[in-house]
Amino acid sequence: HTRSSCKQKCMVVGGSGFLGRNLVDDLLTNGYTVSVFDVRETNPPDDRISFFEGDMCNLSDLSTALEDCEIVFHCASPPPSLGNRDLFYRVNVTGTHTLVEACKLTRVRKLVLTSSASVVYNGVDLKAGNEQLPYTTSPIDYYTQTKALQEQIVLNANSQELMTCAIRPHGIFGPGDQQCIPGIIAAARAGKTKYKIGDGSNLVDFTYVRNVTYGMVLAAESLRAGSQSCGSVYNITNDSPIPF
Ligand code: NAD
């Protein structure tokens, strides 16, 4: 392969998960050649996708999988509900360092990270928060703490050779969601509807998964030499927050 013959080849790290799988579908629809790298294969085999099983903390697993890739989308993380400090540090921090290293080794051109809006949440309500907010100084859990570190690793890696940016959604809903809406429905089915925290005017931000994947594809397409997307973060949301 020459570099130009594989211009549209991309890798979705964490592509077996909820967001990753939706992104794979969007990329295929947009004419990209798609590979997936994940510790597990949960989707039925699909001959349009090259699947690589591996751990993103393993440089050799990643380097093999990234051969000839132009764009990498990073959508891998342990689920936020786990309280396992070591696992979050291992995957989100060490794994992200390893991914950046593998991208450099294999001369990947673009890296788009799925970060999280919670990296700027200090326990105080945010309304119409923008990308200039500083990182939280009191992260609510290890997930958030390591998402903030992960984002800085990716943005600091931005260079002429490897252009990077990060997308910050908050809650994501849509087909394939295993955590958010199913949890709310299960609680409602179990009759757990009597509790209210606050006066009912709390707001929470949810984004439809296709808005997130569309934002990620646009982010990758806008990463070009000299573009202001390089090294930038982008909040992503639906039009307005939902009363919760
Ligand atoms: P998910 O759990 O459905 O998918 C994550 C995937 O990462 C899984 O397939 C898992 O096997 C894989 N993975 C975990 N550790 C790995 C490792 N060491 N090596 C390779 N693969 C590994 O989660 P999701 O909801 O699709 O989230 C995707 C990304 O979006 C995450 O970075 C998450 O922090 C971010 N995010 C999600 C939401 C949300 O509401 N779902 C909101 C904001 C940000």
Side-chain angles (χ1 to χ4, degrees):
H1 289 282
T2 63
R3 296 297 297 170
S4 59
S5 73
C6 54
K7 193 165 180 284
Q8 299 292 306
K9 190 171 169 196
C10 50
M11 166 63 76
V12 181
V13 179
S16 298
F18 162 46
L19 176 67
R21 180 61 225 200
N22 279 281
L23 177 60
V24 166
D25 288 342
D26 256 16
L27 289 166
L28 289 170
T29 305
N30 282 287
Y32 288 88
T33 301
V34 185
S35 300
V36 165
F37 182 93
D38 205 296
V39 277
R40 60 190 179 132
E41 174 55 304
T42 48
N43 298 294
D46 184 333
D47 55 18
R48 297 169 304 167
I49 304 164
S50 308
F51 180 76
F52 294 85
E53 187 175 301
D55 183 340
M56 64 176 290
C57 300
N58 184 314
L59 185 61
S60 131
D61 283 358
L62 274 174
S63 305
T64 308
L66 294 184
E67 193 80 17
D68 289 336
C69 278
E70 187 84 2
I71 310 170
V72 171
F73 295 95
H74 180 355
C75 307
S77 171
S81 53
L82 289 183
N84 187 332
R85 179 186 185 281
D86 290 349
L87 184 64
F88 283 121
Y89 269 88
R90 202 180 79 77
V91 178
N92 288 349
V93 180
T94 310
T96 300
H97 268 303
T98 313
L99 179 60
V100 165
E101 191 58 32
C103 287
K104 289 182 185 165
L105 279 174
T106 53
R107 295 191 299 140
V108 165
R109 293 289 292 136
K110 304 176 180 187
L111 171 60
V112 178
L113 169 71
T114 327
S115 181
S116 166
S118 56
V119 301
V120 297
Y121 179 64
N122 264 325
V124 178
D125 288 352
L126 288 169
K127 206 167 172 181
N130 66 20
E131 288 83 352
Q132 273 70 53
L133 287 166
Y135 287 110
T136 176
T137 49
S138 46
I140 49 171
D141 52 20
Y142 296 127
Y143 169 77
T144 306
Q145 190 172 38
T146 57
K147 289 298 282 183
L149 292 170
Q150 170 191 61
E151 189 184 280
Q152 293 169 76
I153 293 165
V154 168
L155 299 180
N156 288 337
N158 178 58
S159 68
Q160 281 185 349
E161 291 74 35
L162 176 65
M163 295 174 281
T164 69
C165 69
I167 301 292
R168 290 179 181 163
H170 187 241
I172 308 174
F173 67 95
D177 167 27
Q178 312 270 335
Q179 295 172 42
C180 180
I181 303 299
I184 295 171
I185 292 172
R189 285 215 170 105
K192 295 179 184 168
T193 56
K194 300 190 185 74
Y195 303 99
K196 187 165 81 173
I197 299 171
D199 63 4
S201 63
N202 295 334
L203 298 177
V204 68
D205 192 75
F206 280 110
T207 314
Y208 180 59
V209 66
R210 285 275 185 256
N211 289 337
V212 182
T213 58
Y214 182 51
M216 295 182 78
V217 174
L218 289 180
E221 289 176 353
S222 73
L223 282 177
R224 285 186 300 271
S227 120
Q228 64 173 24
S229 310
C230 299
S232 295
V233 297
Y234 293 95
N235 293 345
I236 186 152
T237 181
N238 288 344
D239 198 21
S240 49
I242 299 165
F244 196 56

